[in-house]
Amino acid sequence: MNVDRREMLRYLGWRGQQIDPATDEAMDRMSAKCLECARPKYTVRRFAFSDGVLEGSGFAPQGRDIARHLAGCREVYLFAATLGAAIERELDRTFAVSARDGLLLDTAASCAIESYCDEVCARLQSETGKAFTARFSCGYGDFPLSSQRTICALLRTDTAIGVCVDSGGSLVPRKSVTALIGVRDGGKPFPFTKSDKCARCANKTCAARGPEQK
């Protein structure tokens, strides 16, 4: 798990402008604090997948986008990961002292959880010897955020990794992820650990892309 500076700048909306020394130092400091506080955990469960349903679960992911994503897959992994509660407490403390440092720590934590998920998924893909799809999370496209409750219930994330869903459908702790990963017969393994995520994303109009990636 790491905090990639390029990813951190992308999250912050950087477009090549000069970074002042104080902010540069704060980015390094908050990245280090994030990695110190994080207690990453994950849980995963494999299901056979047929006719749009995860067999034995009763869960049929809704939406055209997730249906396209899983087209041709015979297996699906439900996946959840978190950085834990300690980073949440540190975020609250840091924001109370400095809005800038709080924003940088929050951004570093967003980068760290993605990095952790990529590492875990890359390892799972290597161990199974099968070709995975990218992760697809609730709230992407027309895949409803409310599906997080079902995913968390099937994975028992509350006891497995300490992740719950609040009344608004968001994950607690905040720096947590749920996702579906399809398994394809044949094809190339997905490059989870490739650093330039924009290059492997199909959304060419995303505002997070830098000018060189349009």
Side-chain angles (χ1 to χ4, degrees), residues 5-18:
R5 174 166 281 246
R6 183 178 178 185
E7 284 290 289
M8 193 172 178
L9 288 169
R10 184 176 67 82
Y11 274 100
L12 291 167
W14 184 73
R15 291 293 184 272
Q17 57 268 49
Q18 186 70 31

Side-chain angles (χ1 to χ4, degrees), residues 62-66 68 136 139-144:
Q62 300 299 304
R64 294 184 300 274
D65 294 322
I66 188 63
R68 282 193 293 267
F136 201 101
Y140 287 7
D142 62 355
F143 185 30

